[in-house]
Amino acid sequence: MEVKFLDLKKQYSKLKNEIDSAVQAVFAEASFIKGNEVGKFEENFANYCGVKHCISCGNGTDALTALIKIHDFPKGSEVILPANTFIATAEAVVSNDLKPVLADIKEDFTISPESVESLINPNTSAIIAVHLYGHPADMEQLKKIALKHNLKLFEDAAQAHGAVYRGKKAGNLADGAGFSFYPGKVLGSAGDAGAILLNDNELAQKAKMFCNHGRSLKYFHEFAGINSRMDTLQAAVLNVKMKYLDSWVAARNRVAEKYIEELSGVKEIVLPKFYPETTDAWHLFVIKTEKRDNLREFLKNCGIETGIHYPLSLPEQPAFADHLSYCSDYRAVKESKTLLSLPIGEHLSVEEIIYVADKIRHFFF
C-alpha cells in the first residue's frame, strides 16, 4: 500500500467540475486582477472567521508583513515569536526593520506564555502567536500578557484555517491575523495567496492600500506600498473550496482521533493531544520520537510518505544563529530532531490510517 502525505490530485478530482467551471468563468470575464471573485472571497472568509475585514494579498508572508507594517512600530523594536515556526514568521518582522526575539514552545508546539513574559523589555512592541500545525496557541494567557505590557498581539494563522479557540475561529483571536492559502494548507489555493484579517476599519484600509502600491485611487499613491494582490483565479478556487472547509477539518479530526487510538500503546512516541478549549485544524499530525530518522526511513520503505516540520528550529538556522546563545536550552531546539509528521487529510481512508499505525507499531515492537 502507498499512503500519500498530501493528495491534491485526489482533492481536485472530486471538485474538478466546480473548480473548472469557476476558472473558466474568470477567463471568460478576463478580469484577472481584482476581479469579482476576490471581493467575494474576502467577504466569505471574513464572515467565516467572524471578523469585519479580510484583505487579500499575494501570500502568507506578505500578510504578516503588512499586518506588522500598518502598526508603525518604532524601528528596531522587538517582536516576540516562537522558536519553532516556518521562517516566514520571522521574515515578516525583519522586513519591517524590527528585531525578532525567539520564545520557547510548550508541549503542544505553541508559544510558551511564560517564555514570552520572560523576554519582554521596554523595547518590545508585539507578540506573534503561531497556531502551529493547526493547534491554536494559548490566547487567553497571551492576551493577559499583552494587555499587562501594552503590546500588540498577532496571530500567524497560516496553518489554522477552521481552527476554533474557546468558541471563536482562528483569525479573530487577537489584534490581527495573517493567513496563507498555499496549496498544501487545509484551505489551499492553486498557487500562492494570503490574507490579513482585522476588525479595525482604519487599519484595514491601510493594509489594503499597502498591499496595492499604497494607493487609494488608481494612480494616486498616498505612500509607498508593495505589489501583493490575490489574483482572481486563486480567489475563484478558494471560493469553491470554502464550502468544504468545515467538512475537511472534521475529517482531519477523525484521522487524528484514529491515529491516537491506534498508537496510544506505543511508549516510544509522544502523540499530540486533543484539548477541550480548542477544535484543531490538524494541518499536520506531528509525533515525537528519538528514533525519528530511522522510523521515517522504515515508513518510506513501506510506501508511507512523511514530513519533518521543521528539521531546524529558527535559532538553528544560519539566518538566525545569533539567537542560539539564549535559545540553546529551549524545548524547541532539543525536540527539533524528534519531530515527524504523519500523513493527514480528508484523502485518507480508515484502512490507510490503520496501515500507517500498524507499520509504526511493527517498527518499535
Side-chain angles (χ1 to χ4, degrees):
M1 183 181 291
E2 291 187 3
V3 183
K4 290 185 175 294
F5 185 75
L6 177 69
D7 198 341
L8 293 179
K9 288 184 178 180
K10 186 174 182 179
Q11 184 187 78
Y12 169 65
S13 69
K14 290 186 174 183
L15 304 179
K16 178 176 169 38
N17 291 339
E18 289 181 83
I19 289 176
D20 288 359
S21 177
V23 169
Q24 287 168 8
V26 173
F27 273 93
E29 191 173 293
S31 181
F32 300 109
I33 303 294
K34 293 292 184 181
N36 290 333
E37 291 288 333
V38 176
K40 180 181 174 183
F41 174 74
E42 290 175 332
E43 182 178 358
N44 286 344
F45 198 62
N47 289 339
Y48 178 83
C49 294
V51 300
K52 289 183 180 179
H53 303 283
C54 170
I55 302 94
S56 61
C57 61
N59 54 71
T61 308
D62 285 352
L64 289 174
T65 301
L67 180 59
I68 295 169
K69 178 72 174 180
I70 60 177
H71 283 83
D72 295 319
F73 295 126
K75 185 177 181 179
S77 64
E78 298 178 356
V79 178
I80 300 173
L81 59 134
N84 183 26
T85 182
F86 185 58
I87 194 171
T89 317
E91 285 176 326
V93 175
V94 173
S95 64
N96 276 291
D97 293 321
L98 303 175
K99 179 182 177 182
V101 175
L102 307 180
D104 203 2
I105 58 172
K106 304 193 309 178
E107 183 184 12
D108 66 2
F109 306 110
T110 65
I111 193 167
S112 161
E114 292 76 18
S115 182
V116 167
E117 190 145 35
S118 73
L119 295 167
I120 293 172
N121 63 67
N123 199 35
T124 308
S125 288
I127 304 163
I128 302 177
V130 180
H131 305 317
L132 200 68
Y133 310 146
H135 175 61
D138 188 352
M139 299 304 292
E140 184 175 1
Q141 291 303 314
L142 292 169
K143 279 185 177 180
K144 289 179 180 178
I145 293 170
L147 185 62
K148 175 182 175 182
H149 297 278
N150 194 29
L151 304 173
K152 292 295 181 182
L153 175 61
F154 302 132
E155 299 172 72
D156 180 342
Q159 300 181 1
H161 315 72
V164 178
Y165 176 84
R166 298 187 184 275
K168 296 179 72 174
K169 286 283 197 327
N172 190 23
L173 303 173
D175 296 305
F179 277 87
S180 165
F181 303 106
Y182 182 79
K185 306 298 186 185
V186 181
L187 178 62
S189 54
D192 272 324
I196 307 112
L197 268 57
L198 292 159
N199 282 308
D200 185 284
N201 297 340
E202 186 176 338
L203 288 174
Q205 179 62 20
K206 193 173 180 180
K208 185 176 182 179
M209 292 169 62
F210 176 73
C211 291
N212 193 20
H213 299 288
R215 71 187 185 187
S216 53
L217 299 171
K218 191 170 185 179
Y219 301 126
F220 186 80
H221 307 268
E222 296 187 28
F223 55 86
I226 60 174
N227 178 18
S228 182
R229 299 172 296 203
M230 179 187 291
D231 66 60
T232 311
L233 286 168
Q234 303 306 334
V237 171
L238 289 169
N239 281 326
V240 171
K241 291 188 176 185
M242 270 286 298
K243 295 179 289 186
Y244 301 93
L245 177 55
D246 283 341
S247 66
W248 290 343
V249 170
R252 286 169 176 267
N253 273 269
R254 290 193 295 271
V255 173
E257 187 174 17
K258 187 63 176 176
Y259 271 140
I260 292 171
E261 176 188 325
E262 294 289 328
L263 295 171
S264 59
V266 183
K267 300 187 184 305
E268 291 85 352
I269 63 177
V270 178
L271 294 165
K273 301 175 182 177
F274 282 88
Y275 294 85
E277 69 273 17
T278 68
T279 299
D280 289 14
W282 293 104
H283 170 62
L284 296 171
F285 187 92
V286 180
I287 66 172
K288 292 183 275 192
T289 174
E290 297 296 331
K291 298 181 179 179
R292 189 269 306 281
D293 293 339
N294 289 337
L295 174 59
R296 190 182 193 205
E297 184 64 23
F298 174 79
L299 293 177
K300 179 182 177 181
N301 291 334
C302 295
I304 300 168
E305 296 178 352
T306 59
I308 300 176
H309 302 86
Y310 296 96
L312 295 176
S313 62
L314 286 183
E316 297 173 276
Q317 295 283 358
F320 297 101
D322 54 330
H323 293 266
L324 195 56
S325 59
Y326 68 91
C327 298
S328 58
D329 290 331
Y330 276 10
R331 175 196 292 268
V333 174
K334 294 176 181 178
E335 292 186 349
S336 65
K337 308 299 182 294
T338 71
L339 306 176
L340 184 66
S341 303
L342 301 184
I344 190 166
E346 75 281 357
H347 67 286
L348 292 176
S349 66
V350 173
E351 291 74 21
E352 287 173 319
I353 301 165
I354 292 173
Y355 177 74
V356 173
D358 282 345
K359 294 304 179 182
I360 292 174
R361 285 195 298 266
H362 179 74
F363 174 82
F364 285 107
F365 301 148

